[in-house]
Amino acid sequence: MVCKNSFQTFVWLGFAFLALMGSSNSGASAACSQDYWVSTSGNDDGRGRVDDPFLTLDHARQVVRQNKRKGQCTINVNIESGTYALTTPLVFDSSDSGSPSAKVVYRAAADNRSLVIVSGGIPVTDFSCSGGNICTSTVTGLPAGLMPRQFYVNGQRAIRARSNYGQVVNLNYIRGPDGYAQIIPESFTHPELMEAVTVTQWKMMRCPVASLTGNTLVMQIPCWTNANTYTSPVNFQLLSWLENAPELVTVPTMWYLDPYSQRLTYYNTSSSSPENAVLPVLENLVEIVGTPSSPVSDITFRGLQFSYATWLEPNTDNGYVTDQSSYILMGDGYLQNKIGHQQITYKTLGNVTLQYAHNITFTGNTFSHLGGVALDLDTGSQDNTIINNSFTDIASTALQVGGLSPIDARPNRAQKTSHNLVKNNTVSYTGQDYYDTAGMFVGFTTGTRITHNTIMHTPWSSLAIGWGWGLLDDPSFPGVPDAIPGMWGEYDTPTIVSNNEISSNKFEYFVEKLWDGGAIYTNGSQGPDFAHGLLIKLNVAENKRPSGGSNIYYTDGGSQYVTLRQNVSLNDPVGIADFGPCFTGSSIPVYCALTGIPYGSDFGGCLPVGNLTYTDNYFLNPIDFFGPQICQNSYIPRYPINVTIKNKGPITSPIQVPSWILSQAGVQ
């Protein structure tokens, strides 16, 4: 009897211990959970309790990594209100992983009524203001020689000092072999810190100035050389403006930073000192990077704000030479080409990056005031969820899914970017510094689902998917004028692209700066057949810039196996081609006569393969496929092939579209 009672007592104590361990805090998993706390008034020598919080996010990460219950119990890192200024990126690898049933969660504290800001910036204070509202400050804490590319005052992006603000083109410069010669010589304090900018069709490029020699701004190499491997009009022919000189600080909210003296100049809107001024310093805020054999997994980020990171590559001699949609040329060795695209390109940096990462969730976060791509799901990103987030004021693209390298196109199992969900996110004001970028971009992926997002105010396309214009497909297809089959290689297997879906999104105010884009832009083969191709359904595209030449649903070069069903285009009038102003020092006279001609329709594309189905879409022009009229390639005598068009229309008013289609599009 004594032994029996002792055994019962032991069992009872064991169950009581398990119950106590599993009830540590609300939000715990059914099995067990443990909570840590972080506060800007905390101490990393503390115990991480609610009454004794840690000070830094990275220390909390290190403590979680050492927790022996990680992967067995849910671990919550509760972050109290405040700005957490990083001096180095937060780096997560497989040792920081949770498990599918016991995730590691970094979240705003439950009682948080303010913001949790994960910041890569430093405050700028102690301004001295003189007449005309010109305010200056010596920046404290800026690494020597660093030249961040953005600056924010009271949560608003300031304008980097530039010429011709509010105008179209610089009138006083003539293009030469090395750069631009000035008709009216100007004096610049530091010409080597300046850059020249071109904006034309679907491209934007930025080349740093090497020197002012005589009256010529000599450009940095290889930027200038790479930019001019393309043919006119998509090379660096048109000078749109000059940027980053103190002499160009001419209107309110403009700024300039001298990296030598570390003195920042800001043209304030009033005579008072600027408040809440932040200069981004870090490029990476968060890196979630595993390896092919050991991916990082099962981490959630909830209710946080990621802000004030920059991207410094455009400061280098590579500059920013875009091929398309944030992919750029770097280094030497590029040859002249007639097709407007190079085979080898490089990504714009992601301020928050995933690579070889599985089951990572971002939910209810804000990505704002960022200088690169806000969030990049790179090679090996699988089964991740991006849901209920807000992206706004982004220099480049809000979200990239997948890459463009050979291992992305034809990956092994570990390298695949697959089955990622992007849902219910709001995206606005992307491409603030790089107009050529889409609001969202999808590269070589399978099983990507982009649904119920709202994307507004993009300078080029709202969403772009695919790459290669058929030249990377099996078989090679020359989906660009002047392309030759096989010029980018011959392939005996298809790319990974398959089973992707773009559904129930709302796109508004696109092609606001450039033209030759759309609400949804595709290129390259989207699958091996219709059953495994790209499904585009129930999207609503409205209020394109009226003059922006655009195919609203744009199946461009090499596109095939795309099904478009029950999509809507409203208030998207046909725009025009625009090759810049004529009769100026850097205009393109041969193209002047083409400026102003109608360009685009509700659907179409330049040299798709075909295998396209358009059914029950609500279009102003439900019949005409735009593109064959202007795009030709002698290797493609007839295109597109196998196209089905059975659309509704013409649609001129929302009342002609079923209300349920309009109401279900976008964030719910």
Short mmCIF file of all heavy atoms in Angstrom, two decimals, residues 160-203:
data_model
loop_
_atom_site.label_atom_id
_atom_site.label_comp_id
_atom_site.label_asym_id
_atom_site.label_seq_id
_atom_site.Cartn_x
_atom_site.Cartn_y
_atom_site.Cartn_z
N ARG A 160 16.57 63.70 -52.25
CA ARG A 160 18.02 63.83 -52.43
C ARG A 160 18.29 64.92 -53.46
O ARG A 160 17.69 64.95 -54.53
CB ARG A 160 18.59 62.49 -52.91
CG ARG A 160 20.10 62.35 -52.75
CD ARG A 160 20.46 60.89 -52.95
NE ARG A 160 21.87 60.63 -52.75
CZ ARG A 160 22.66 60.05 -53.65
NH1 ARG A 160 22.17 59.69 -54.83
NH2 ARG A 160 23.92 59.81 -53.39
N ALA A 161 19.18 65.84 -53.12
CA ALA A 161 19.41 67.04 -53.93
C ALA A 161 19.58 66.68 -55.40
O ALA A 161 20.37 65.81 -55.76
CB ALA A 161 20.65 67.78 -53.43
N ARG A 162 18.82 67.36 -56.27
CA ARG A 162 18.84 67.03 -57.69
C ARG A 162 18.48 68.25 -58.52
O ARG A 162 17.87 69.21 -58.04
CB ARG A 162 17.86 65.90 -58.01
CG ARG A 162 16.45 66.14 -57.51
CD ARG A 162 15.45 65.22 -58.15
NE ARG A 162 15.17 65.60 -59.53
CZ ARG A 162 14.21 65.06 -60.27
NH1 ARG A 162 13.46 64.11 -59.78
NH2 ARG A 162 14.02 65.47 -61.51
N SER A 163 18.87 68.19 -59.79
CA SER A 163 18.51 69.25 -60.72
C SER A 163 17.13 68.98 -61.31
O SER A 163 16.60 67.88 -61.20
CB SER A 163 19.55 69.34 -61.84
OG SER A 163 19.52 68.15 -62.63
N ASN A 164 16.57 70.00 -61.93
CA ASN A 164 15.35 69.85 -62.73
C ASN A 164 14.20 69.23 -61.97
O ASN A 164 13.40 68.50 -62.53
CB ASN A 164 15.61 68.99 -63.97
CG ASN A 164 16.70 69.57 -64.82
OD1 ASN A 164 17.02 70.74 -64.71
ND2 ASN A 164 17.27 68.75 -65.67
N TYR A 165 14.10 69.49 -60.69
CA TYR A 165 13.00 68.90 -59.94
C TYR A 165 11.67 69.44 -60.48
O TYR A 165 11.48 70.64 -60.59
CB TYR A 165 13.12 69.20 -58.45
CG TYR A 165 12.08 68.47 -57.63
CD1 TYR A 165 12.13 67.09 -57.51
CD2 TYR A 165 11.05 69.16 -57.00
CE1 TYR A 165 11.18 66.41 -56.77
CE2 TYR A 165 10.10 68.48 -56.26
CZ TYR A 165 10.16 67.11 -56.15
OH TYR A 165 9.21 66.43 -55.42
N GLY A 166 10.79 68.52 -60.83
CA GLY A 166 9.52 68.91 -61.43
C GLY A 166 9.57 69.10 -62.92
O GLY A 166 8.56 69.42 -63.55
N GLN A 167 10.76 68.94 -63.53
CA GLN A 167 10.92 69.03 -64.97
C GLN A 167 11.22 67.64 -65.54
O GLN A 167 11.35 66.67 -64.80
CB GLN A 167 12.05 70.00 -65.32
CG GLN A 167 11.83 71.41 -64.78
CD GLN A 167 13.00 72.32 -65.09
OE1 GLN A 167 13.60 72.22 -66.14
NE2 GLN A 167 13.34 73.19 -64.14
N VAL A 168 11.35 67.56 -66.84
CA VAL A 168 11.49 66.27 -67.50
C VAL A 168 12.93 65.95 -67.84
O VAL A 168 13.41 64.84 -67.67
CB VAL A 168 10.63 66.21 -68.77
CG1 VAL A 168 10.80 64.87 -69.48
CG2 VAL A 168 9.16 66.43 -68.42
N VAL A 169 13.69 66.92 -68.33
CA VAL A 169 15.01 66.61 -68.86
C VAL A 169 15.96 67.78 -68.64
O VAL A 169 15.53 68.93 -68.53
CB VAL A 169 14.91 66.27 -70.36
CG1 VAL A 169 14.60 67.50 -71.17
CG2 VAL A 169 16.18 65.61 -70.87
N ASN A 170 17.24 67.48 -68.54
CA ASN A 170 18.23 68.53 -68.39
C ASN A 170 18.56 69.13 -69.75
O ASN A 170 18.95 68.42 -70.68
CB ASN A 170 19.50 67.93 -67.76
CG ASN A 170 20.31 69.00 -67.07
OD1 ASN A 170 20.65 70.00 -67.69
ND2 ASN A 170 20.61 68.79 -65.80
N LEU A 171 18.43 70.44 -69.88
CA LEU A 171 18.53 71.08 -71.20
C LEU A 171 19.95 71.50 -71.55
O LEU A 171 20.23 71.81 -72.70
CB LEU A 171 17.63 72.32 -71.23
CG LEU A 171 16.15 72.09 -70.91
CD1 LEU A 171 15.40 73.40 -71.00
CD2 LEU A 171 15.54 71.08 -71.85
N ASN A 172 20.87 71.52 -70.59
CA ASN A 172 22.16 72.15 -70.82
C ASN A 172 23.31 71.18 -71.06
O ASN A 172 24.47 71.54 -70.94
CB ASN A 172 22.52 73.03 -69.62
CG ASN A 172 21.54 74.18 -69.47
OD1 ASN A 172 21.01 74.66 -70.46
ND2 ASN A 172 21.30 74.59 -68.24
N TYR A 173 23.01 69.93 -71.39
CA TYR A 173 24.06 68.93 -71.53
C TYR A 173 23.93 68.18 -72.85
O TYR A 173 22.83 67.87 -73.30
CB TYR A 173 24.00 67.92 -70.37
CG TYR A 173 24.32 68.55 -69.04
CD1 TYR A 173 23.37 69.26 -68.34
CD2 TYR A 173 25.60 68.44 -68.50
CE1 TYR A 173 23.66 69.85 -67.12
CE2 TYR A 173 25.91 69.03 -67.28
CZ TYR A 173 24.93 69.73 -66.60
OH TYR A 173 25.23 70.31 -65.40
N ILE A 174 25.07 67.87 -73.45
CA ILE A 174 25.11 67.09 -74.68
C ILE A 174 25.91 65.82 -74.41
O ILE A 174 27.00 65.87 -73.84
CB ILE A 174 25.76 67.89 -75.83
CG1 ILE A 174 24.90 69.12 -76.16
CG2 ILE A 174 25.92 67.01 -77.07
CD1 ILE A 174 25.49 70.01 -77.23
N ARG A 175 25.39 64.69 -74.85
CA ARG A 175 26.03 63.41 -74.59
C ARG A 175 27.28 63.23 -75.44
O ARG A 175 27.29 63.51 -76.64
CB ARG A 175 25.04 62.28 -74.89
CG ARG A 175 25.53 60.88 -74.55
CD ARG A 175 24.42 59.89 -74.88
NE ARG A 175 24.75 58.55 -74.46
CZ ARG A 175 25.43 57.66 -75.20
NH1 ARG A 175 25.87 58.02 -76.40
NH2 ARG A 175 25.66 56.44 -74.76
N GLY A 176 28.37 62.76 -74.79
CA GLY A 176 29.61 62.44 -75.50
C GLY A 176 30.04 61.03 -75.17
O GLY A 176 29.33 60.29 -74.47
N PRO A 177 31.21 60.61 -75.63
CA PRO A 177 31.65 59.22 -75.41
C PRO A 177 31.93 58.89 -73.95
O PRO A 177 31.81 57.74 -73.55
CB PRO A 177 32.92 59.12 -76.26
CG PRO A 177 33.40 60.53 -76.42
CD PRO A 177 32.16 61.37 -76.46
N ASP A 178 32.29 59.88 -73.14
CA ASP A 178 32.65 59.63 -71.75
C ASP A 178 31.60 60.09 -70.75
O ASP A 178 31.70 59.78 -69.57
CB ASP A 178 33.97 60.33 -71.42
CG ASP A 178 35.11 59.85 -72.30
OD1 ASP A 178 35.20 58.63 -72.54
OD2 ASP A 178 35.88 60.71 -72.76
N GLY A 179 30.65 60.88 -71.23
CA GLY A 179 29.66 61.42 -70.32
C GLY A 179 28.90 62.56 -70.95
O GLY A 179 28.57 62.51 -72.14
N TYR A 180 28.67 63.63 -70.17
CA TYR A 180 27.87 64.74 -70.65
C TYR A 180 28.65 66.05 -70.58
O TYR A 180 29.20 66.41 -69.54
CB TYR A 180 26.57 64.86 -69.83
CG TYR A 180 25.59 63.78 -70.18
CD1 TYR A 180 25.51 62.62 -69.42
CD2 TYR A 180 24.75 63.91 -71.28
CE1 TYR A 180 24.61 61.61 -69.76
CE2 TYR A 180 23.86 62.91 -71.63
CZ TYR A 180 23.79 61.77 -70.86
OH TYR A 180 22.91 60.78 -71.21
N ALA A 181 28.68 66.77 -71.71
CA ALA A 181 29.34 68.07 -71.77
C ALA A 181 28.31 69.15 -71.51
O ALA A 181 27.17 69.07 -71.96
CB ALA A 181 29.98 68.27 -73.14
N GLN A 182 28.75 70.17 -70.80
CA GLN A 182 27.86 71.26 -70.43
C GLN A 182 27.94 72.39 -71.44
O GLN A 182 29.02 72.89 -71.75
CB GLN A 182 28.23 71.80 -69.04
CG GLN A 182 28.17 70.75 -67.95
CD GLN A 182 28.95 71.19 -66.74
OE1 GLN A 182 30.17 71.25 -66.77
NE2 GLN A 182 28.23 71.52 -65.69
N ILE A 183 26.79 72.80 -71.93
CA ILE A 183 26.74 73.97 -72.80
C ILE A 183 27.03 75.22 -71.97
O ILE A 183 27.78 76.11 -72.38
CB ILE A 183 25.36 74.08 -73.47
CG1 ILE A 183 25.13 72.87 -74.38
CG2 ILE A 183 25.25 75.37 -74.29
CD1 ILE A 183 23.74 72.80 -74.95
N ILE A 184 26.44 75.29 -70.80
CA ILE A 184 26.70 76.39 -69.87
C ILE A 184 27.46 75.81 -68.69
O ILE A 184 26.87 75.10 -67.86
CB ILE A 184 25.39 77.05 -69.41
CG1 ILE A 184 24.59 77.54 -70.62
CG2 ILE A 184 25.67 78.20 -68.44
CD1 ILE A 184 23.22 78.07 -70.26
N PRO A 185 28.77 76.03 -68.59
CA PRO A 185 29.55 75.41 -67.51
C PRO A 185 28.99 75.77 -66.13
O PRO A 185 28.57 76.90 -65.88
CB PRO A 185 30.96 75.98 -67.72
CG PRO A 185 30.99 76.38 -69.16
CD PRO A 185 29.60 76.86 -69.48
N GLU A 186 29.00 74.78 -65.26
CA GLU A 186 28.57 74.98 -63.87
C GLU A 186 29.69 74.55 -62.95
O GLU A 186 30.57 73.77 -63.33
CB GLU A 186 27.30 74.17 -63.58
CG GLU A 186 26.10 74.56 -64.44
CD GLU A 186 24.89 73.71 -64.14
OE1 GLU A 186 24.53 73.59 -62.96
OE2 GLU A 186 24.31 73.15 -65.09
N SER A 187 29.65 75.04 -61.74
CA SER A 187 30.67 74.69 -60.75
C SER A 187 30.05 73.77 -59.71
O SER A 187 28.96 74.06 -59.19
CB SER A 187 31.21 75.95 -60.09
OG SER A 187 32.12 75.62 -59.07
N PHE A 188 30.73 72.67 -59.41
CA PHE A 188 30.26 71.73 -58.40
C PHE A 188 31.37 71.49 -57.39
O PHE A 188 32.52 71.25 -57.76
CB PHE A 188 29.83 70.41 -59.03
CG PHE A 188 28.63 70.53 -59.93
CD1 PHE A 188 28.77 70.42 -61.31
CD2 PHE A 188 27.38 70.76 -59.41
CE1 PHE A 188 27.67 70.53 -62.14
CE2 PHE A 188 26.27 70.86 -60.23
CZ PHE A 188 26.41 70.75 -61.60
N THR A 189 31.02 71.53 -56.12
CA THR A 189 32.00 71.37 -55.05
C THR A 189 32.65 70.00 -55.08
O THR A 189 33.87 69.86 -54.98
CB THR A 189 31.33 71.60 -53.68
OG1 THR A 189 30.70 72.87 -53.68
CG2 THR A 189 32.34 71.50 -52.56
N HIS A 190 31.82 68.97 -55.20
CA HIS A 190 32.32 67.60 -55.22
C HIS A 190 31.67 66.83 -56.37
O HIS A 190 30.75 66.03 -56.16
CB HIS A 190 32.01 66.89 -53.88
CG HIS A 190 32.79 67.41 -52.73
ND1 HIS A 190 34.17 67.31 -52.66
CD2 HIS A 190 32.40 68.03 -51.58
CE1 HIS A 190 34.59 67.84 -51.53
NE2 HIS A 190 33.54 68.29 -50.85
N PRO A 191 32.12 67.05 -57.59
CA PRO A 191 31.50 66.34 -58.73
C PRO A 191 31.63 64.83 -58.61
O PRO A 191 30.80 64.09 -59.13
CB PRO A 191 32.26 66.88 -59.95
CG PRO A 191 33.53 67.45 -59.41
CD PRO A 191 33.20 67.95 -58.04
N GLU A 192 32.67 64.35 -57.91
CA GLU A 192 32.87 62.90 -57.79
C GLU A 192 31.82 62.22 -56.92
O GLU A 192 31.75 60.99 -56.85
CB GLU A 192 34.27 62.61 -57.24
CG GLU A 192 34.46 62.83 -55.75
CD GLU A 192 34.61 64.30 -55.34
OE1 GLU A 192 34.53 65.19 -56.23
OE2 GLU A 192 34.83 64.56 -54.15
N LEU A 193 30.98 63.02 -56.23
CA LEU A 193 29.90 62.46 -55.43
C LEU A 193 28.56 62.49 -56.16
O LEU A 193 27.57 61.96 -55.66
CB LEU A 193 29.76 63.23 -54.11
CG LEU A 193 30.99 63.24 -53.20
CD1 LEU A 193 30.70 64.07 -51.96
CD2 LEU A 193 31.40 61.82 -52.81
N MET A 194 28.55 63.08 -57.34
CA MET A 194 27.30 63.23 -58.08
C MET A 194 27.00 61.98 -58.89
O MET A 194 27.86 61.12 -59.10
CB MET A 194 27.39 64.44 -59.02
CG MET A 194 27.55 65.76 -58.32
SD MET A 194 27.97 67.07 -59.48
CE MET A 194 26.53 67.06 -60.56
N GLU A 195 25.76 61.89 -59.34
CA GLU A 195 25.40 60.85 -60.30
C GLU A 195 24.42 61.41 -61.32
O GLU A 195 23.65 62.33 -61.03
CB GLU A 195 24.83 59.61 -59.61
CG GLU A 195 23.56 59.81 -58.82
CD GLU A 195 23.21 58.57 -57.99
OE1 GLU A 195 24.13 57.99 -57.38
OE2 GLU A 195 22.03 58.21 -57.95
N ALA A 196 24.50 60.84 -62.52
CA ALA A 196 23.58 61.19 -63.60
C ALA A 196 22.48 60.13 -63.65
O ALA A 196 22.73 58.95 -63.40
CB ALA A 196 24.31 61.25 -64.93
N VAL A 197 21.26 60.57 -63.97
CA VAL A 197 20.10 59.68 -63.94
C VAL A 197 19.40 59.73 -65.30
O VAL A 197 19.23 60.82 -65.87
CB VAL A 197 19.10 60.11 -62.84
CG1 VAL A 197 17.90 59.17 -62.80
CG2 VAL A 197 19.80 60.15 -61.48
N THR A 198 19.03 58.56 -65.80
CA THR A 198 18.22 58.50 -67.01
C THR A 198 16.93 57.73 -66.72
O THR A 198 16.95 56.72 -66.00
CB THR A 198 18.96 57.84 -68.19
OG1 THR A 198 18.16 57.95 -69.37
CG2 THR A 198 19.28 56.38 -67.94
N VAL A 199 15.83 58.22 -67.27
CA VAL A 199 14.52 57.59 -67.14
C VAL A 199 13.96 57.46 -68.54
O VAL A 199 13.72 58.46 -69.21
CB VAL A 199 13.58 58.44 -66.26
CG1 VAL A 199 12.18 57.84 -66.23
CG2 VAL A 199 14.13 58.59 -64.85
N THR A 200 13.77 56.22 -69.01
CA THR A 200 13.29 56.02 -70.37
C THR A 200 12.57 54.68 -70.50
O THR A 200 13.11 53.66 -70.09
CB THR A 200 14.45 56.10 -71.39
OG1 THR A 200 13.95 55.85 -72.71
CG2 THR A 200 15.54 55.10 -71.08
N GLN A 201 11.39 54.70 -71.05
CA GLN A 201 10.56 53.53 -71.30
C GLN A 201 10.42 52.70 -70.03
O GLN A 201 9.83 53.16 -69.06
CB GLN A 201 11.09 52.72 -72.48
CG GLN A 201 10.04 51.84 -73.13
CD GLN A 201 10.42 51.37 -74.52
OE1 GLN A 201 11.32 51.89 -75.16
NE2 GLN A 201 9.71 50.35 -75.01
N TRP A 202 10.97 51.46 -69.96
CA TRP A 202 10.82 50.65 -68.76
C TRP A 202 12.09 50.69 -67.90
O TRP A 202 12.20 49.96 -66.93
CB TRP A 202 10.48 49.20 -69.12
CG TRP A 202 11.64 48.38 -69.61
CD1 TRP A 202 12.52 47.68 -68.82
CD2 TRP A 202 12.06 48.17 -70.96
NE1 TRP A 202 13.46 47.05 -69.62
CE2 TRP A 202 13.19 47.32 -70.94
CE3 TRP A 202 11.57 48.60 -72.20
CZ2 TRP A 202 13.86 46.91 -72.09
CZ3 TRP A 202 12.24 48.19 -73.34
CH2 TRP A 202 13.36 47.36 -73.29
N LYS A 203 13.05 51.54 -68.23
CA LYS A 203 14.34 51.54 -67.54
C LYS A 203 14.61 52.84 -66.78
O LYS A 203 14.15 53.91 -67.17
CB LYS A 203 15.48 51.32 -68.55
CG LYS A 203 15.60 49.91 -69.11
CD LYS A 203 16.77 49.83 -70.06
CE LYS A 203 16.93 48.44 -70.67
NZ LYS A 203 17.51 47.48 -69.73
#
